[in-house]
Amino acid sequence: MPAQAYRGKECVCQLRLGICDQSCVRGMLQTPFYIACLRLSGRRCVVVGGGDVGLEKVEGLLTCDGDVTLIAPEAHPELVQLALEGSIRWERREYATGDLEGALIAIAATDDTDLNIRVFEDAEARAMLVNVVDVPPLCNFILPAIVRTGPLAVAISTAGASPALAKRMKREIGELFGEPYALLAILLNEARGWAKATLPTYQDRKEFFESVVNGEPDPIELLRAGDVEGVRELIAGAQRAVSPAVG
């Protein structure tokens, strides 16, 4: 929900103002967010709240191989199934402060303001990443819209100003950067071992890969035409071009 949508409504943040005056979100659009991609494999992630939104957040964490614990007295049927099959741990009870021990990320997906504030404050006390869904002031990180194609991931954030705009951008970016880009990333990754073993400096490796990505013929156009071998030859030609200089 955009921060502006809270004006005049019941306060849902840690300021407990009664009626929201937006004081907690002033300047939010000017906040510089540090964009990072987290490796979640094997890392404990806690989701508090077992409804539709909780399901969405759990699925996102599982997509990234997170070790997910759900805290909720009741849960969406799909969450129950994930617990039964062993994909997540489900603690079928109310949230307790100790539930965040050993976790990297906490996500609160409840409509209980007091509970959301507890999760936020408990996580902040542990210097953890915490996101309370749709409550920007109770977040020290935000979740952008993600376009995923193979190994590629493109993140879109409007700093909470307009999820509708982020959704449109996600659709358009997905249409623009599709399978050919993902396949090119895979083919370039195949050459990384050779580059690290053969090219002595970062600058040498940078120039090599840029010569392929920006080369002629255009590797993206080749892949759009289904010519995977043409791209492999383009990479091989770039390798041959630098080999005499290396030797």
Side-chain angles (χ1 to χ4, degrees), residues 169-217:
M169 292 175 66
K170 176 180 178 179
R171 182 181 69 252
E172 293 181 358
I173 288 172
E175 293 169 354
L176 181 61
F177 299 104
E179 290 296 334
Y181 287 86
L183 183 51
L184 180 57
I186 292 170
L187 293 172
L188 292 172
N189 186 63
E190 292 176 356
R192 286 186 67 192
W194 173 89
K196 292 192 75 172
T198 308
L199 303 177
T201 70
Y202 167 81
Q203 187 61 31
D204 291 331
R205 295 187 290 272
K206 176 175 177 286
E207 290 175 1
F208 165 74
F209 283 110
E210 287 184 350
S211 74
V212 176
V213 171
N214 302 315
E216 290 294 338

Side-chain angles (χ1 to χ4, degrees), residues 10 25 33 68 86 109 207:
E10 184 178 354
V25 294
F33 286 95
V68 180
E207 290 175 1

Side-chain angles (χ1 to χ4, degrees), residues 53-130:
V53 178
L55 173 62
E56 176 189 338
K57 302 309 175 185
V58 166
E59 289 179 333
L61 293 168
L62 289 177
T63 297
C64 298
D65 201 27
D67 180 5
V68 180
T69 297
L70 173 69
I71 311 293
E74 303 295 334
H76 188 287
E78 291 186 37
L79 287 169
V80 174
Q81 182 57 42
L82 288 172
L84 289 173
E85 69 188 33
S87 296
I88 65 173
R89 295 184 186 87
W90 178 23
E91 299 290 341
R92 191 171 183 173
R93 54 173 173 76
E94 299 290 345
Y95 167 79
T97 297
D99 289 332
L100 300 188
E101 293 299 331
L104 174 68
I105 288 177
I107 297 178
T110 86
D111 56 6
D112 183 330
T113 294
D114 289 336
L115 175 55
N116 289 340
I117 292 171
R118 281 182 58 206
V119 174
F120 172 75
E121 292 178 343
D122 289 345
E124 281 280 280
R126 291 164 172 76
M128 288 174 53
L129 294 172
V130 58

